[in-house]
Amino acid sequence: MNAADMEDSRQVLRVELGARGYDIHIGAGLIAAADDLLADCLGTGTVFIVTDDIVASHYLAPLQDALGRLGRHAHPLILPAGEATKSFTQWQELCESMLAIGAERGSTIIALGGGVIGDLAGFAAATLLRGVDFVQIPTTLLAQVDSSVGGKTAINTGHGKNLVGAFYQPKRVLIDTAALDSLPPRELSAGYAETVKYGLIGDAGFFEWLERHGQDLLAGDPAARRHAIAVSCAAKAATVRADEREKGQRALLNFGHTFAHAFEAEAGYDGGVLHGEAVAAGMLMALELSRSAGLCDGQDVARVRAHFAAVGLPDGPRALGGGGWSAEALYRHMLKDKKVAAGRITFVLATAIGEAMLSDAISREAVIEVLAAALDSAP
Ligand code: NAD
Ligand code: GLY
């Protein structure tokens, strides 16, 4: 693609949140164009780039060069790659490092990386000096379609994932679709699961498009990637606009996540099971639960199962290596979910492909039955 084509294929979406609203720029080559795209939102203070060691080896230099063209020196803070980085310890060290370098209220933190870096850097931005500006430059598909938009920031605790955090919106999001070229296929697939989610919860037409073009996207087709990222970000932006702090509709974005968080907790956070893989397996469990509650058709479940098989996504806990897990133990993890109130779990369920709803009327027995069937089923 030449430079003119790259510019033509750029898109800008707006997250409408009044004074906290911001633009999402989508296109190939945006990291190297950060001088143009961030010039007006870097403030006057120190600029920090928070990233991980893998992402730094690919994209830190081009980003620093771009900011250098604005006459800005950006201080890199390079953390170990992996979920374990979303910790109290790393948050503390990050804040201490930025204070030592000279953080001030006018500072900006740029999160360059996947959801781990975005969530941690965002939480540091929300808390450092009671809040400094931050920019998201997501480099995984998962972060590009989901975590970089909407302002959820968090770290993990001994009691579970994302249990300490803040809603804190970025000032801008730069989605460089070409960054996906270096992403390992397994990470791409994991991000694809969060992309499918938008089709399943609210857009049957998009699910149908993914059935036809999902494999092109995973094979690296630039137009397919850009389309899927733009549709996903538009869906997320609309949801966040309607319900920024998850009082209702935004909870639908957690489709499959109550199961997923239990799978991740049972597997441990050592990279054996990726978040997106757990979400894929969790969405199938949520569909099975919906079917067993008489809400959706078995044909819809079969159709999603067929798509997951076609693109190589896990279809349940056994596919995550969880054949030996106990349904009871998984249920105990689910009771620690943020959506539990008075001991009742609120599930996101599907009434059809493209239609989702919340329900706190699902019995423990129904959940155990669906999990037990999935754990017992033949590999
Ligand atoms: P990640 O940040 O761990 O990135 C996955 C791996 O890919 C890492 O090893 C990273 O170094 C590497 N990587 C990143 N970009 C790369 C690139 N372009 N080329 C090569 N390697 C690259 O994982 P993730 O899947 O992006 O994010 C998962 C996290 O996101 C979880 O902690 C989850 O809880 C969180 N999350 C948050 C939200 C939210 O709304 N805030 C939503 C969904 C998920
Ligand atoms: N990923 C779920 C949300 O942002 O609400």
Side-chain angles (χ1 to χ4, degrees), residues 26-48:
I26 305 169
L30 299 199
I31 292 175
D35 45 344
D36 286 341
L37 299 172
L38 297 182
D40 62 330
C41 77
L42 288 183
T44 52
T46 338
V47 177
F48 301 98

Side-chain angles (χ1 to χ4, degrees), residues 8-348:
D8 281 353
S9 61
R10 286 185 193 171
Q11 255 178 286
V12 185
L13 301 173
R14 179 99 187 142
V15 182
E16 296 285 0
L17 283 174
R20 291 185 317 291
Y22 51 96
D23 287 339
I24 307 169
H25 293 254
I26 305 169
L30 299 199
I31 292 175
D35 45 344
D36 286 341
L37 299 172
L38 297 182
D40 62 330
C41 77
L42 288 183
T44 52
T46 338
V47 177
F48 301 98
I49 300 173
V50 180
T51 188
D52 72 36
D53 46 4
I54 297 174
V55 175
S57 69
H58 294 282
Y59 305 111
L60 180 58
L63 179 58
Q64 282 183 305
D65 289 349
L67 299 178
R69 289 194 291 278
L70 291 174
R72 304 299 295 265
H73 171 71
H75 298 268
L77 295 147
I78 303 174
L79 309 177
E83 186 70 33
T85 285
K86 257 174 71 172
S87 66
F88 279 108
T89 311
Q90 290 290 353
W91 167 72
Q92 181 182 359
E93 284 180 14
L94 188 56
C95 291
E96 297 280 9
S97 299
M98 291 190 284
L99 291 167
I101 292 168
E104 49 194 71
R105 279 265 166 87
S107 289
T108 302
I109 297 177
I110 300 177
L112 173 69
V116 164
I117 289 298
D119 281 13
L120 173 68
F123 185 55
T127 46
L128 188 73
L129 301 172
R130 298 204 181 93
V132 301
D133 285 351
F134 101 108
V135 168
Q136 288 268 20
I137 306 188
T139 60
T140 61
L141 181 59
L142 182 140
Q144 296 189 346
V145 298
D146 190 357
S147 62
S148 64
V149 175
K152 278 191 182 175
T153 73
I155 53 177
N156 301 329
T157 80
H159 293 275
K161 267 174 69 82
N162 301 330
L163 294 184
V164 171
F167 286 99
Y168 194 69
Q169 301 295 340
K171 288 286 166 205
R172 192 152 296 164
V173 182
L174 298 194
I175 299 182
D176 186 340
T177 54
L180 301 181
D181 290 345
S182 56
L183 194 66
R186 191 173 158 212
E187 296 288 351
L188 198 63
S189 275
Y192 184 79
E194 297 275 16
T195 314
V196 176
K197 179 184 76 181
Y198 294 104
L200 294 180
I201 64 172
D203 189 344
F206 183 47
F207 180 73
E208 207 179 310
W209 184 90
L210 289 168
E211 286 181 308
R212 280 185 279 118
H213 300 290
Q215 274 152 324
D216 302 333
L217 184 166
L218 290 166
D221 181 89
R225 275 180 186 172
R226 204 173 49 247
H227 177 74
I229 292 167
V231 171
S232 302
C233 286
K236 180 128 190 203
T239 304
V240 169
R241 177 189 181 175
D243 178 23
E244 183 183 7
R245 296 178 77 88
E246 198 168 308
K247 302 287 183 214
Q249 177 187 338
R250 185 167 180 170
L252 298 179
L253 294 173
N254 297 320
F255 185 56
H257 284 57
T258 304
F259 287 100
H261 289 157
F263 300 153
E264 288 180 276
E266 199 61 15
Y269 302 106
D270 59 359
V273 171
L274 302 180
H275 177 68
E277 293 170 339
V279 167
M283 291 193 296
L284 241 318
M285 292 301 93
L287 281 160
E288 290 290 3
L289 190 59
S290 307
R291 188 191 49 73
S292 81
L295 291 170
C296 83
D297 202 308
Q299 281 177 347
D300 285 338
V301 185
R303 193 172 150 199
V304 177
R305 213 175 262 290
H307 182 56
F308 280 18
V311 295
L313 280 178
D315 63 357
R318 284 179 72 95
L320 300 175
W325 294 343
S326 115
E328 298 280 351
L330 289 168
Y331 192 79
R332 279 196 294 278
H333 287 302
M334 291 169 126
L335 285 172
K336 292 185 183 162
D337 193 274
K338 288 191 286 308
K339 294 179 295 303
V340 171
R344 292 197 77 80
I345 303 173
T346 299
F347 281 96
V348 187

